[in-house]
């Protein structure tokens, strides 16, 4: 088993992150880490937990009041018919939640339908669990949504799971209610499980967020996975959660949590409880500011890199997934086996701008770039100014 992990890829995001630590005064547009401070409700709860010496072992599934708070949130906000908090498990962030879910669900050779583009660790976690990721392209002309017919064609007798990520990372595409309903029917007809990664549920600018688990009968075959990282600006704290109705499958997932982390940090869980029980105004405030930053970046990109990048502002999440003008890159001498890697390395080296090559999100995304627009206005402005100055010095050939 040890040698098997040699075949599991490491995301370029990790490689880029390492590269950025060698850059002086970098613009960190490579990582989806919002620049906001955590809400006071979270920080006060952490301080209180420390004062009360809540630093000991906890139940592996999570502290009961937090599981109850998560269950109530999924019932009220997401419309999921959670039976009780016993169906909810607390994980070490959303990534750990997905890891536990895939390992609980998959047998060797099981296929998982995944969007393209998609956050690279998703494919890696499927492979680590013995599964086979099958990427189905999101259509840029549809606002980075699936053509549902493409999904149907990709299903084989080996398909076990349909993985949804809406809003999508990196494209920001948001599936419509009709899309979700059609996908639910496919899951029923083909007897598929659905893993619904809803990390960006609170960052939808156009349309609505619909959890497929809220549709009639779908919670029976759907595992919704959430994280507090984005909604409460606590990416480094690592608190996530998911719900599984099936007791046997839930027991498997609980074992995986036990043997990978024993229990999620006690201080983090009590802090999360404070965030869940306190005012939720920060979520709306963050979304308002993220929309401003999205529009500011896209407007600035037109001035900083005219004729270099193209794309439209996304309906959700906080990324700019833009296409590189291959003719411009060729004339500028920015070439290599991978255009997106060549461009990323050029911007990191010469403009100090962190970014992620599109090919890392799927082979079909070669020629695209991802920039994170969730950084501060000052950092975004600085990055755009550096981009403009750097690209203006590139001689056309």
């Amino acid at each position: 088993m040890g040698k098997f992990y040699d075949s599991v890829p490491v995301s370029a995001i990790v490689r880029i992150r390492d590269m950025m630590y060698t850059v002086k005064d970098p613009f960190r547009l490579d990582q989806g880490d919002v620049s906001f401070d955590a809400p006071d409700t979270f920080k006060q709860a952490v301080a209180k937990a420390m004062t009360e010496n809540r630093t000991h072992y906890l139940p592996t599934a999570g502290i009961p009041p937090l599981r109850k708070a998560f269950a109530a949130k999924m019932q009220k906000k997401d419309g999921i018919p959670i039976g009780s908090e016993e169906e909810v498990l607390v994980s070490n962030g959303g990534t750990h939640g997905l890891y536990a879910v895939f390992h609980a669900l998959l047998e060797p050779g099981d296929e998982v339908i995944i969007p393209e583009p998609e956050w690279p660790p998703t494919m890696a976690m499927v492979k680590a669990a013995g599964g086979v990721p099958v990427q189905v392209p999101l259509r840029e002309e549809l606002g980075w949504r699936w053509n549902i017919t493409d999904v149907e064609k990709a299903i084989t007798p080996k398909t076990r799971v349909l993985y949804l990520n809406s809003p999508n990372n990196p494209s920001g595409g948001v599936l419509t209610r009709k899309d979700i309903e059609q996908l639910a029917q496919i899951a029923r007809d083909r007897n598929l499980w659905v893993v619904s990664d809803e990390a960006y549920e609170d960052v939808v600018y156009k349309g609505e967020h619909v959890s497929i688990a809220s549709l009639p009968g779908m919670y029976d075959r759907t595992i919704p996975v959430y994280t507090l990282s984005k909604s409460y600006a606590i990416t480094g704290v690592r608190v996530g959660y998911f719900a599984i109705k099936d007791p046997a499958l839930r027991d498997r997932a609980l074992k995986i949590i036990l043997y990978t982390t024993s229990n999620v940090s006690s201080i983090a869980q009590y802090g999360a409880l404070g965030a869940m029980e306190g005012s939720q105004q920060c979520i709306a405030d963050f979304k308002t500011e993220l929309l401003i930053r999205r529009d500011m970046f896209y407007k600035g990109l037109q001035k900083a890199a005219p004729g270099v990048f193209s794309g439209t502002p996304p309906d959700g999440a906080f990324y700019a997934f833009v296409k590189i003008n291959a003719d411009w890159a060729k004339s500028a001498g920015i070439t290599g086996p991978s255009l997106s890697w060549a461009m990323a390395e050029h911007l990191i080296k010469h403009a100090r701008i962190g970014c992620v090559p599109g090919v890392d999100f799927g082979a079909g995304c070669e020629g695209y770039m991802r920039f994170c627009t969730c950084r501060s206005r000052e950092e975004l402005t600085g990055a755009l100014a550096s981009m403009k100055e750097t690209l203006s010095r590139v001689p056309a050939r």
Side-chain angles (χ1 to χ4, degrees):
M1 186 65 186
K3 290 183 179 179
F4 166 76
Y5 274 86
D6 293 339
S7 66
V8 177
V10 175
S11 169
I13 295 174
V14 176
R15 177 179 166 188
I16 294 290
R17 185 181 300 158
D18 292 342
M19 291 171 64
M20 293 308 296
Y21 278 109
T22 69
V23 176
K24 183 180 180 181
D25 300 324
F27 301 106
R28 297 304 308 271
L29 275 57
D30 54 299
Q31 53 186 5
D33 192 354
V34 291
S35 65
F36 309 125
D37 293 330
D40 288 340
T41 51
F42 170 81
K43 291 187 283 189
Q44 290 166 2
V46 166
K48 184 172 183 286
M50 290 296 291
T51 300
E52 295 178 351
N53 297 308
R54 297 187 181 276
T55 56
H56 302 281
Y57 285 127
L58 298 175
T60 297
I63 57 174
L66 184 59
R67 295 171 72 192
K68 186 175 182 179
F70 286 151
K73 174 265 180 185
M74 285 188 281
Q75 291 168 338
K76 183 177 181 180
K77 182 175 180 177
D78 301 302
I80 302 172
I82 305 293
S84 75
E85 61 267 29
E86 293 300 312
E87 297 172 11
V88 180
L89 301 180
V90 181
S91 58
N92 193 44
T95 304
H96 185 225
L98 289 173
Y99 180 91
V101 166
F102 285 133
H103 276 74
L105 264 180
L106 299 178
E107 301 296 339
D110 284 347
E111 293 179 352
V112 181
I113 302 295
I114 295 175
E116 183 184 53
E118 177 55 40
W119 181 59
T122 301
M123 284 76 79
M125 285 186 285
V126 168
K127 290 180 179 179
V132 179
V134 177
Q135 286 197 275
V136 177
L138 301 175
R139 300 294 183 179
E140 186 173 7
E141 66 272 18
L142 297 178
W144 294 105
R145 294 166 37 237
W146 266 327
N147 179 327
I148 304 301
T149 301
D150 292 340
V151 177
E152 292 179 301
K153 290 180 179 178
I155 296 172
T156 74
K158 293 183 178 180
T159 305
R160 178 165 173 80
V161 177
L162 178 61
Y163 168 84
L164 307 185
N165 177 214
S166 176
N168 172 259
N169 173 9
S171 72
V174 178
L175 296 174
T176 65
R177 180 174 288 275
K178 183 177 180 181
D179 293 336
I180 296 291
E181 290 172 345
Q182 290 178 307
L183 292 166
Q185 191 58 53
I186 290 173
R188 295 188 198 99
D189 293 344
R190 305 299 290 269
N191 193 29
L192 302 178
W193 279 93
V194 179
V195 175
S196 184
D197 179 353
E198 303 179 31
Y200 298 91
E201 65 168 335
D202 290 317
V203 193
V204 178
Y205 311 114
K206 181 181 178 182
E208 61 176 332
H209 173 71
V210 179
S211 175
I212 194 170
S214 69
L215 300 186
M218 283 305 295
Y219 176 47
D220 290 358
R221 63 176 65 249
T222 299
I223 304 176
V225 183
Y226 298 91
T227 176
L228 272 65
S229 293
K230 318 298 182 181
S231 300
Y232 297 95
I234 53 172
T235 51
V237 175
R238 314 311 302 147
V239 178
Y241 58 101
F242 57 94
I244 302 180
K245 185 175 181 180
D246 182 88
L249 196 60
R250 189 167 65 246
D251 285 346
R252 284 190 212 164
L254 183 61
K255 289 179 183 178
I256 295 162
I257 293 175
L258 172 63
Y259 297 130
T260 52
T261 193
S262 185
N263 62 255
V264 174
S265 162
S266 58
I267 301 303
Q269 288 197 58
Y270 283 104
L273 181 61
M276 293 298 295
E277 292 182 339
S279 169
Q280 303 301 295
Q281 184 59 41
C282 67
I283 294 177
D285 293 343
F286 290 170
K287 177 180 171 181
T288 297
E289 177 61 20
L290 287 170
L291 178 58
I292 292 172
R293 295 180 187 186
R294 180 202 73 170
D295 293 344
M296 184 182 78
F297 184 82
Y298 271 88
K299 184 177 180 180
L301 197 63
Q302 294 174 0
K303 297 179 180 179
V308 181
F309 299 114
S310 61
T312 56
D315 292 338
F318 40 66
Y319 304 103
F321 196 61
V322 294
K323 190 172 185 178
I324 306 165
N325 183 331
D327 291 335
W328 180 91
K330 184 178 180 180
S331 69
I334 301 176
T335 60
S338 166
L339 172 59
S340 52
W341 263 109
M343 179 61 79
E345 290 173 344
H346 184 85
L347 290 176
I348 292 170
K349 180 179 179 180
H350 299 287
R352 314 191 320 276
I353 300 172
C355 48
V356 183
V359 69
D360 196 44
F361 300 96
C365 299
E366 174 58 277
Y368 285 82
M369 299 291 297
R370 190 194 80 171
F371 299 95
C372 295
T373 60
C374 58
R375 308 303 296 165
S376 70
R377 296 190 197 186
E378 292 76 15
E379 189 168 10
L380 293 174
T381 300
L384 289 165
S386 182
M387 182 185 296
K388 182 177 182 179
E389 194 274 333
T390 298
L391 296 181
S392 69
R393 289 189 281 106
V394 176
R397 298 186 178 183

